[in-house]
Amino acid sequence: MSTEVVMPQMGESVAEGTIVRWIKKVGDTIERDEPLFEISTDKVDAEIPSPAAGVITEIRAQEGETVEVNSVVAVIGEAGSKPAAPVSTPAAAPAPAPAPAAVQPAASQPAPARPSEPKPAAVESHTETSSDATDDDVRQRSSPLVRKIAKEHNVDISRIPGTGTSGRVTKNDILSFIGAPGEKAAAPAAPASRAPSPASTPAPAAKAPAGGAASGTGLAGQVVPMSVMRRKIAEHMVQSRRTSAHVHSVFEVNFGQVEKVRQAKKAEYERAGAKLTYLSFILKAVVDALRTVPIMNASVDGDNIVYHKQVNIGIAVALDWGLIVPVIKGADEKNLLGLSRAVVDLANRARAKQLKPDEVSGGTFTITNPGVFGALFGMPIINQPQVGILGVGAIEKRPVIIDDAIAIRHMAYLAIGYDHRIIDGAVADEFMSQVKHTIEHWELSEA
């Protein structure tokens, strides 16, 4: 008995996912819960385990393809099963193509018969969808990437015949429709339409912009599409800039006392399976400050301010392929040891692509740490719909004035980014004063 593998729903609001990589291929044997393929959504990148043991007999979604939730992407047969014969229906689709050719003898003019069909890529002049397709229909029949390409080229998606599941318009469909360079589907059509008329010879020049500005200036370069994660980061950052009135304040903080406590407790924490870092102390100081200044732990919902009872701290984790913000839920219920363990656990699983959807959502405040790369401070963009984000600069030894004397201490700049729509400068500064005071007056007994 075969088992169908479906695209899982990685979060309540997630409607689709993109196949990034197939870890197993057709004909491979796989065990239950062994990683089968890797997906990327607007919430998380994750490896999807196999729902059953057996042999992969069929793969229905290719790498790079965006698939709707609950769509079948592969089939697993019982041990010893043979791979299904390749489905040739898509290849057979060109069969109707000879039909226009059959008409050509009667018209005895092959060239005019063709232009009337594909080259509507001469880009539709209107941006609205046609009256015979609603916005919902179009969204269901295309991925965000396809809709983006359509918008850039002023193409009406409802006019494109889709070859994907349930008539879904795929990336290849729209690129073929607009005659994008480099696509095999578009290449054969181009010579056929150009051959009869020398007037179409400028077409190669039109290809240059699609290859990137570098090709037009004679500079060597490479053009690659954004990954799903990169596109989502771009969308979220631009949306946040348009939504919130960003303001930043920078505080200089003395980590000298924290350094003493850290050195005294570091070995003890390692024996307990945790790593006592500066971030652990910053986390605890932020949690305590959020209790004192609760509006910093709020979010905006239309014209309403939502004050959250629970403190859920998002920690930005830099990955080789992008950035992700796993969330420490109930951070206000954890002590310094619990926070230290949570940071290490989430960061390790983020890099291993083992986070669950609910572990990257529900944050009420975010901390990002550009200082790990040496930056003195940064001006971070707010993680919507939150109203505050803390940027941690490099913690390093600097000369400072203490009691009219020059001393060497571990110092750092902490930058608070806040939404001035609901948070005034005085409130943000009060919050940062609390964070600064906690860090600079840490007692050994508190660790």
Side-chain angles (χ1 to χ4, degrees), residues 326 339-351 355 359:
L339 291 172
S340 300
R341 284 173 171 165
V343 169
V344 173
D345 172 58
L346 288 175
N348 288 341
R349 288 194 292 114
R351 295 187 177 101
L355 291 175
E359 292 177 319

Side-chain angles (χ1 to χ4, degrees), residues 305-328:
I305 301 174
V306 180
Y307 291 88
H308 302 288
K309 292 182 178 179
Q310 194 174 39
V311 177
N312 300 332
I313 306 292
I315 305 294
V317 177
L319 308 173
D320 291 340
W321 57 93
L323 180 76
I324 196 166
V325 186
V327 178
I328 301 176

Side-chain angles (χ1 to χ4, degrees), residues 87-378:
V87 181
S88 58
T89 47
V103 181
Q104 288 172 5
S108 68
Q109 287 185 351
R114 232 175 247 221
S116 60
E117 174 196 316
K119 270 295 179 190
V123 183
E124 301 291 337
S125 59
H126 53 278
T127 55
E128 311 92 12
T129 56
S130 60
S131 58
D132 60 338
T134 66
D135 289 343
D136 287 342
D137 292 335
V138 172
R139 290 184 66 84
Q140 290 174 2
R141 292 178 52 220
S142 61
S143 70
L145 175 59
V146 170
R147 294 194 291 274
K148 180 181 177 184
I149 295 174
K151 184 177 180 180
E152 290 175 349
H153 291 81
N154 267 356
V155 173
D156 185 348
I157 298 179
S158 64
R159 294 173 178 251
I160 304 175
T163 60
T165 307
S166 303
R168 185 183 184 84
V169 177
T170 67
K171 176 183 174 183
N172 287 337
D173 292 336
I174 190 166
L175 290 179
S176 298
F177 184 81
I178 65 177
E183 289 296 321
K184 293 181 180 178
S193 59
R194 284 200 295 263
S197 172
S200 58
T201 51
K207 291 183 180 180
S215 60
T217 59
L219 300 176
Q222 181 183 13
V223 179
V224 295
M226 285 187 181
S227 65
V228 175
M229 176 178 282
R230 191 75 261 162
R231 292 200 310 271
K232 294 302 178 184
I233 290 173
E235 291 171 5
H236 292 167
M237 294 301 97
V238 172
Q239 179 210 3
S240 182
R241 276 295 192 188
R242 291 174 175 168
T243 301
S244 297
H246 282 71
V247 180
H248 294 84
S249 294
V250 180
F251 279 62
E252 186 176 31
V253 180
N254 186 338
F255 279 79
Q257 186 62 23
V258 162
E259 176 61 14
K260 291 179 182 178
V261 176
R262 197 173 77 88
Q263 293 301 329
K265 293 284 188 176
K266 187 165 59 172
E268 179 184 330
Y269 272 61
E270 288 177 355
R271 288 193 296 270
K275 190 174 181 180
L276 188 57
T277 64
Y278 292 113
L279 182 58
S280 303
F281 292 93
I282 295 170
L283 255 170
K284 188 67 171 68
V286 166
V287 168
D288 292 345
L290 288 174
R291 287 172 173 164
T292 305
V293 189
I295 193 172
M296 293 297 300
N297 194 50
S299 61
V300 178
D301 181 13
D303 293 331
N304 300 318
I305 301 174
V306 180
Y307 291 88
H308 302 288
K309 292 182 178 179
Q310 194 174 39
V311 177
N312 300 332
I313 306 292
I315 305 294
V317 177
L319 308 173
D320 291 340
W321 57 93
L323 180 76
I324 196 166
V325 186
V327 178
I328 301 176
K329 300 289 181 69
D332 53 327
E333 300 172 359
K334 301 181 186 296
N335 57 15
L336 190 62
L337 177 60
L339 291 172
S340 300
R341 284 173 171 165
V343 169
V344 173
D345 172 58
L346 288 175
N348 288 341
R349 288 194 292 114
R351 295 187 177 101
K353 298 184 178 180
Q354 294 176 348
L355 291 175
K356 299 174 183 177
D358 63 338
E359 292 177 319
V360 291
S361 61
T364 59
F365 188 89
T366 297
I367 299 176
T368 182
N369 187 13
V372 72
F373 300 108
L376 291 181
F377 58 85

